[in-house]
Amino acid sequence: MGAAASGMTGKQDPQVRISDRFWDSYRELVRKTVIPYQWEALNDRIPDAEPSYAIRNFRITAGMEQGEYGGMVFQDSDVAKWLEAVGYSLAQHPDSELERTADEVIELIAAAQKEDGYLNTYFSIKEPGNRWTNLHEAHELYCAGHMMEAAVAYYEATGKRRLLDVVCKFADYIDQVFGTEPGKLRGYDGHQEIELALVKLYKATGEERYLALAQFFIDERGAEPNFLVEECKQRDGFSHWANKKIAIPTVAQMAYNQADKPVREQDTATGHSVRAVYMYTAMADLARLTGDASLLEACRRLWANTTKKQMYITGGIGSTHHGEAFTFDYDLPNDTVYAETCASIGLIFFAQRMLQLEAKSDYADVMERALYNNVIGSMSQDGKHYFYVNPLEVWPKASKLNPARHHVKAVRQKWFGCSCCPPNVARLLSSLNEYIYTASAERNTIYTNLFIGSEASFELAAGRVGLKQESHLPWEGYVRMEVTESPKAELALAFRIPSWSYGEAEMIIGGQAAKYEVVDGYAIVTRAWSEGDVAEWKPRLEAQLIAANPAIRANAGKAAIERGPLVYCLEEADNGDLLSSLTIQADTKLHSSYDPGLMGGAVVIEAEGCVDNMASWQPDLPYRPLAQQQVQEASSVTLRAVPYYLWGNRKTGEMTVWIRTSGL
Amino acid sequence: MGAAASGMTGKQDPQVRISDRFWDSYRELVRKTVIPYQWEALNDRIPDAEPSYAIRNFRITAGMEQGEYGGMVFQDSDVAKWLEAVGYSLAQHPDSELERTADEVIELIAAAQKEDGYLNTYFSIKEPGNRWTNLHEAHELYCAGHMMEAAVAYYEATGKRRLLDVVCKFADYIDQVFGTEPGKLRGYDGHQEIELALVKLYKATGEERYLALAQFFIDERGAEPNFLVEECKQRDGFSHWANKKIAIPTVAQMAYNQADKPVREQDTATGHSVRAVYMYTAMADLARLTGDASLLEACRRLWANTTKKQMYITGGIGSTHHGEAFTFDYDLPNDTVYAETCASIGLIFFAQRMLQLEAKSDYADVMERALYNNVIGSMSQDGKHYFYVNPLEVWPKASKLNPARHHVKAVRQKWFGCSCCPPNVARLLSSLNEYIYTASAERNTIYTNLFIGSEASFELAAGRVGLKQESHLPWEGYVRMEVTESPKAELALAFRIPSWSYGEAEMIIGGQAAKYEVVDGYAIVTRAWSEGDVAEWKPRLEAQLIAANPAIRANAGKAAIERGPLVYCLEEADNGDLLSSLTIQADTKLHSSYDPGLMGGAVVIEAEGCVDNMASWQPDLPYRPLAQQQVQEASSVTLRAVPYYLWGNRKTGEMTVWIRTSGL
């Protein structure tokens, strides 16, 4: 790793292997089902699903097949994300057959690479003369970035350099094309991704030029004259998406691509949400590696705006499907929501990088929220169906019949024409081990950010430390941490005090209640930890009714149920339809019980509520005096809430996270 | 008038002149401001407004000017609607200068007519060879229909036949082109309008062929094979709107044009809402004039579906801007609403025709609701600014920054590129006299549907009857009806018992409480009325909190305020922003008081409510336990509601019709 300016560092990253009651099944699902299923999808072998064309495009480019390019302009990235997931999976679970398949794909990719290093099937097949003429729309560098991430993951898992060499050659070529030197393009991609990928490539290879190139892309973004606007003029306004000439966009319109102003001047999460969080991730990487204070400040501002004012309670971001974008502060409609799966994954990346910069539990709180709710909720329990949009309120009939809600699907889909989300879930879940801990080697401190059963080893200044975590999350607030190796020097174990514990958390060391220091949301115990020492960490985990800031108009008069990291929801399967007719008592007791029959077992919550009396309403009476209602009191009813991540796995029906409250 | 099969009939229509405290100012606004202003708009003389091109198109077609066609394909209809409004206005207020202007426009129109009778500036200028090749999209018959309506109105006002002759020649030509006979087109327009217009033309001229042609268009609609689908195949899929070839639409997609099945088989309001209600209007006309029972049944079904399950409390219809369309039963979102002005006007036409078919107060209740709320609310108090979309909830920032709400304007616009609504308001308000009464000559019964001060005369079987109505609506439930002429025979005066009186209405005749018979929502007094007799009609008019059917999910837990025919709303100007933080006490007293300073004077309503305590919330805290809220009780507050039709006439701000209730 290069010279670190600040933040979490180590001689090398912690080595972590997950073994966890809750997550093992997810990771096994990814390994046994999602990765093989997505391989079938990439090869267009899923019946009744939209074809991917992705492998076929590489075969055509490599001259192994004749045909037309198929799919989106960024279809290559699906193969890359799949390979990246395979890399992470192989690192944890060697699988010679999967590795052989991956090696074959890598040979195919290598065969599709041009002599000069260029690698992109869309431009190779469809527009060979038009490289780098539409960075605004055509995702060339975006696809390059994903291939770099795949190469690094595969190299780190297997030690094989084949794909790494391919992407290094490509990166070297890109470095010759882009830059501030005369004759080079002072440009950047319309869809950020390569910036964070180049940081990974730098880390894997030690090649400083890749870090500098990432920095270049970040620094040029939004500079005047605006590259993307000028580029569009060069094309005479031709738009890939519209397939015709369009009006030259304004600089202000480049806010969609976070390129309307320099990144250091941005303070509000704006535009396409995935682009935004991928960029913030790279900004945090660079702030850490270069010690750039203005970049760190921008990261903090953008983090605060994103997570405090533009984030759903599920960790979803992006309030509109128009441009898959942020809208503005506190505009978080539950029914016309976007909350794209990829955006929450990008938010997790951003959180991880901020944690590497500074140990503040807030970053991990958000990471956990997005992971346990929006992200895993996007995948069906069978691992073969996905949500792209993750709503907080679903009325299936409206999804079907009201065009403003067509993008909100009530049922997970097999695959998508634009299928960025499913492989993104796969690569996140198969690399989840990278999100549990951060460590400061210099300060001999290990931070536990996520409570996920695992064995980990760390190289600290004092020496090697081994930890074995056992966790009862998300169902119980219990974590057992055993020190399995210790240099017998003083070192600090820092446990995140999760936001959902509201500061109530007990530490037990060696069976005795132990005091801890609280720093930035972590409970820190500094001592000479010895092999065999056990710390038990018991953050209070109780179901709570949650209110939203009144500025979030969509949730006025409503409450949500949270229990630990999980957000809950009401489903029609448990509560009947017309969920809007239900209210929850503001002072209800929330009864939690484990239901082993609910999709592999989950804690369900029962609450006291009321249902509006509907018997007195005729279907053909739309409006009547409220006074007629008061004589017909609402009836008591027991509401049954299930974890949000499980919604839509039974029959198709209504769902809501936010519930009207009564009796406040 | 032709031989009537059923319904309301008279030797001739009632002659009605309005003189009313509330409506005189509106009608004067139309006459003195709206009609002259729209004339300027049609001539592209409004600074900073979108140009109309409408007059210019006629000049180009008539060879008086060189240039390109401008505006929408149906731009001609704006001129027609303006002329129709002028006709109505001249009928009530002769104005030689306005009449001279209109005569000049009529000469211009006549000059633009082709030798064979064809009249359409778009096809004449842009696609002279393509007449009748794109009925689906190009509004040719729609524009023809509006010109017929204008001609009839102008003829009836002035006795001048010039435009009537033009449109008869056009109608005769259309009759040669369309029909079931071999060689004729068995087609109909994508946008219904000509059907109701031909009925008017038939009535004005007595020419049975025009009635038969209207019937033909209605009967052919939705028949198999589907004309509009086949026509699109003929064009090889070329779409006017997309300006390229598109996939041939399916029959099911023709539901947008209410042409997916025969009209008699339709039972749900579907597709583009203006097209729908214009068609229903013609269906009701034809049911009345031909005695077609199946058509009548379809009208009743479609009326019930439209008004009982798909109508906003303001009388707005159309739940989505996608296709300006209905969605499905009970889907009435307040924030992403459409509720186009023209659709409510069309609903009023439909109600009027149903009243001519059968005297049921429900039709008039809806007519009044749409008129006093959605329709007059669409126009600014200065008569120069208009809403196309009439929302029930506005958050100006969201209208600006959330694309799903861009169509919901927080401020009325000067003019629109598609400016169908402003001239539609003008023609409705200037012909309002036609909506007050219906009469059955045979049964010697006069129905008062709207309470609008007026002098009217009727030709009944028993002889001529004169009535002078004085009304304190909408502020007080008081109507004074004086018989000014009477044949000294027994006749029945029927007063609508408005839905908002909930059946409580007092009749006083000659100063004495009088009994009345209740039939289908009318209070009927049958006696030998004499000149000078006075009936006072006092429907109870009190402010009420109104609840919505629980099936209307958008209004769950909320109430609206109604007072007589008026729906009320909360505006930021009176209640501050963040209207979602306000609740209204379910058992509040509603204090009505006349505020002479509120835009010419209006009754405002004060109510007891609460405002969520926001002091304890930091702007950067999006979510927290509800339990923290309970210790911070909401504060009492006095809510001030103003009539919905006045909203948006002060400063730009939030508005809501539906208010969260508390204490139920």
Side-chain angles (χ1 to χ4, degrees), chain A residues 210-221:
Chain A
Y210 301 151
L211 184 68
L213 188 57
Q215 177 97 42
F216 161 80
F217 285 134
I218 287 292
D219 289 349
E220 285 299 315
R221 198 166 199 90

PDB file of all heavy atoms in Angstrom, chain A residues 210-221:
ATOM      1  N   TYR A 210      -1.526   4.942 -11.510  1.00  0.00           N
ATOM      2  CA  TYR A 210      -2.967   4.655 -11.457  1.00  0.00           C
ATOM      3  C   TYR A 210      -3.663   5.540 -10.423  1.00  0.00           C
ATOM      4  O   TYR A 210      -4.779   6.015 -10.639  1.00  0.00           O
ATOM      5  CB  TYR A 210      -3.206   3.168 -11.161  1.00  0.00           C
ATOM      6  CG  TYR A 210      -2.585   2.237 -12.197  1.00  0.00           C
ATOM      7  CD1 TYR A 210      -2.160   0.958 -11.854  1.00  0.00           C
ATOM      8  CD2 TYR A 210      -2.423   2.636 -13.525  1.00  0.00           C
ATOM      9  CE1 TYR A 210      -1.602   0.095 -12.796  1.00  0.00           C
ATOM     10  CE2 TYR A 210      -1.847   1.790 -14.470  1.00  0.00           C
ATOM     11  CZ  TYR A 210      -1.438   0.523 -14.106  1.00  0.00           C
ATOM     12  OH  TYR A 210      -0.888  -0.302 -15.036  1.00  0.00           O
ATOM     13  N   LEU A 211      -2.959   5.762  -9.306  1.00  0.00           N
ATOM     14  CA  LEU A 211      -3.518   6.673  -8.305  1.00  0.00           C
ATOM     15  C   LEU A 211      -3.603   8.085  -8.881  1.00  0.00           C
ATOM     16  O   LEU A 211      -4.611   8.780  -8.713  1.00  0.00           O
ATOM     17  CB  LEU A 211      -2.637   6.655  -7.043  1.00  0.00           C
ATOM     18  CG  LEU A 211      -3.147   7.497  -5.869  1.00  0.00           C
ATOM     19  CD1 LEU A 211      -4.428   6.900  -5.299  1.00  0.00           C
ATOM     20  CD2 LEU A 211      -2.092   7.607  -4.768  1.00  0.00           C
ATOM     21  N   ALA A 212      -2.573   8.480  -9.581  1.00  0.00           N
ATOM     22  CA  ALA A 212      -2.553   9.822 -10.176  1.00  0.00           C
ATOM     23  C   ALA A 212      -3.657   9.981 -11.222  1.00  0.00           C
ATOM     24  O   ALA A 212      -4.272  11.044 -11.358  1.00  0.00           O
ATOM     25  CB  ALA A 212      -1.185  10.100 -10.807  1.00  0.00           C
ATOM     26  N   LEU A 213      -3.905   8.898 -11.947  1.00  0.00           N
ATOM     27  CA  LEU A 213      -4.951   8.968 -12.963  1.00  0.00           C
ATOM     28  C   LEU A 213      -6.333   9.098 -12.303  1.00  0.00           C
ATOM     29  O   LEU A 213      -7.194   9.873 -12.752  1.00  0.00           O
ATOM     30  CB  LEU A 213      -4.882   7.721 -13.865  1.00  0.00           C
ATOM     31  CG  LEU A 213      -5.768   7.693 -15.106  1.00  0.00           C
ATOM     32  CD1 LEU A 213      -5.517   8.886 -16.026  1.00  0.00           C
ATOM     33  CD2 LEU A 213      -5.566   6.382 -15.886  1.00  0.00           C
ATOM     34  N   ALA A 214      -6.536   8.373 -11.211  1.00  0.00           N
ATOM     35  CA  ALA A 214      -7.798   8.510 -10.460  1.00  0.00           C
ATOM     36  C   ALA A 214      -7.956   9.949  -9.990  1.00  0.00           C
ATOM     37  O   ALA A 214      -9.025  10.555 -10.122  1.00  0.00           O
ATOM     38  CB  ALA A 214      -7.812   7.551  -9.270  1.00  0.00           C
ATOM     39  N   GLN A 215      -6.874  10.481  -9.443  1.00  0.00           N
ATOM     40  CA  GLN A 215      -6.886  11.865  -8.959  1.00  0.00           C
ATOM     41  C   GLN A 215      -7.203  12.837 -10.104  1.00  0.00           C
ATOM     42  O   GLN A 215      -7.990  13.771  -9.941  1.00  0.00           O
ATOM     43  CB  GLN A 215      -5.519  12.191  -8.363  1.00  0.00           C
ATOM     44  CG  GLN A 215      -5.360  13.615  -7.885  1.00  0.00           C
ATOM     45  CD  GLN A 215      -5.597  13.736  -6.401  1.00  0.00           C
ATOM     46  OE1 GLN A 215      -5.148  12.898  -5.625  1.00  0.00           O
ATOM     47  NE2 GLN A 215      -6.329  14.749  -5.998  1.00  0.00           N
ATOM     48  N   PHE A 216      -6.609  12.579 -11.256  1.00  0.00           N
ATOM     49  CA  PHE A 216      -6.869  13.423 -12.429  1.00  0.00           C
ATOM     50  C   PHE A 216      -8.362  13.439 -12.761  1.00  0.00           C
ATOM     51  O   PHE A 216      -8.954  14.502 -12.974  1.00  0.00           O
ATOM     52  CB  PHE A 216      -6.054  12.906 -13.617  1.00  0.00           C
ATOM     53  CG  PHE A 216      -6.536  13.370 -14.956  1.00  0.00           C
ATOM     54  CD1 PHE A 216      -6.232  14.631 -15.439  1.00  0.00           C
ATOM     55  CD2 PHE A 216      -7.341  12.532 -15.748  1.00  0.00           C
ATOM     56  CE1 PHE A 216      -6.705  15.070 -16.672  1.00  0.00           C
ATOM     57  CE2 PHE A 216      -7.818  12.967 -16.978  1.00  0.00           C
ATOM     58  CZ  PHE A 216      -7.504  14.233 -17.438  1.00  0.00           C
ATOM     59  N   PHE A 217      -8.962  12.249 -12.818  1.00  0.00           N
ATOM     60  CA  PHE A 217     -10.392  12.194 -13.171  1.00  0.00           C
ATOM     61  C   PHE A 217     -11.246  12.961 -12.154  1.00  0.00           C
ATOM     62  O   PHE A 217     -12.188  13.653 -12.516  1.00  0.00           O
ATOM     63  CB  PHE A 217     -10.869  10.735 -13.250  1.00  0.00           C
ATOM     64  CG  PHE A 217     -10.406  10.002 -14.489  1.00  0.00           C
ATOM     65  CD1 PHE A 217      -9.866   8.720 -14.404  1.00  0.00           C
ATOM     66  CD2 PHE A 217     -10.541  10.576 -15.751  1.00  0.00           C
ATOM     67  CE1 PHE A 217      -9.452   8.030 -15.544  1.00  0.00           C
ATOM     68  CE2 PHE A 217     -10.129   9.886 -16.899  1.00  0.00           C
ATOM     69  CZ  PHE A 217      -9.574   8.617 -16.793  1.00  0.00           C
ATOM     70  N   ILE A 218     -10.876  12.836 -10.883  1.00  0.00           N
ATOM     71  CA  ILE A 218     -11.647  13.536  -9.834  1.00  0.00           C
ATOM     72  C   ILE A 218     -11.409  15.044  -9.922  1.00  0.00           C
ATOM     73  O   ILE A 218     -12.351  15.844  -9.804  1.00  0.00           O
ATOM     74  CB  ILE A 218     -11.247  12.986  -8.440  1.00  0.00           C
ATOM     75  CG1 ILE A 218     -11.833  11.568  -8.251  1.00  0.00           C
ATOM     76  CG2 ILE A 218     -11.703  13.919  -7.314  1.00  0.00           C
ATOM     77  CD1 ILE A 218     -13.334  11.484  -8.128  1.00  0.00           C
ATOM     78  N   ASP A 219     -10.174  15.438 -10.153  1.00  0.00           N
ATOM     79  CA  ASP A 219      -9.857  16.869 -10.184  1.00  0.00           C
ATOM     80  C   ASP A 219     -10.444  17.570 -11.399  1.00  0.00           C
ATOM     81  O   ASP A 219     -10.850  18.725 -11.331  1.00  0.00           O
ATOM     82  CB  ASP A 219      -8.327  17.073 -10.185  1.00  0.00           C
ATOM     83  CG  ASP A 219      -7.712  16.733  -8.843  1.00  0.00           C
ATOM     84  OD1 ASP A 219      -8.476  16.556  -7.866  1.00  0.00           O
ATOM     85  OD2 ASP A 219      -6.467  16.632  -8.777  1.00  0.00           O
ATOM     86  N   GLU A 220     -10.470  16.871 -12.534  1.00  0.00           N
ATOM     87  CA  GLU A 220     -10.977  17.509 -13.760  1.00  0.00           C
ATOM     88  C   GLU A 220     -12.486  17.669 -13.752  1.00  0.00           C
ATOM     89  O   GLU A 220     -13.033  18.553 -14.398  1.00  0.00           O
ATOM     90  CB  GLU A 220     -10.584  16.666 -14.983  1.00  0.00           C
ATOM     91  CG  GLU A 220      -9.134  16.775 -15.367  1.00  0.00           C
ATOM     92  CD  GLU A 220      -8.738  18.193 -15.749  1.00  0.00           C
ATOM     93  OE1 GLU A 220      -9.472  18.860 -16.498  1.00  0.00           O
ATOM     94  OE2 GLU A 220      -7.670  18.646 -15.261  1.00  0.00           O
ATOM     95  N   ARG A 221     -13.146  16.798 -13.018  1.00  0.00           N
ATOM     96  CA  ARG A 221     -14.612  16.747 -13.044  1.00  0.00           C
ATOM     97  C   ARG A 221     -15.210  18.105 -12.676  1.00  0.00           C
ATOM     98  O   ARG A 221     -14.925  18.652 -11.623  1.00  0.00           O
ATOM     99  CB  ARG A 221     -15.112  15.667 -12.077  1.00  0.00           C
ATOM    100  CG  ARG A 221     -16.522  15.271 -12.369  1.00  0.00           C
ATOM    101  CD  ARG A 221     -16.958  13.988 -11.677  1.00  0.00           C
ATOM    102  NE  ARG A 221     -18.122  13.493 -12.373  1.00  0.00           N
ATOM    103  CZ  ARG A 221     -18.079  12.669 -13.400  1.00  0.00           C
ATOM    104  NH1 ARG A 221     -16.934  12.175 -13.805  1.00  0.00           N
ATOM    105  NH2 ARG A 221     -19.195  12.323 -14.016  1.00  0.00           N
TER     106      ARG A 221
END
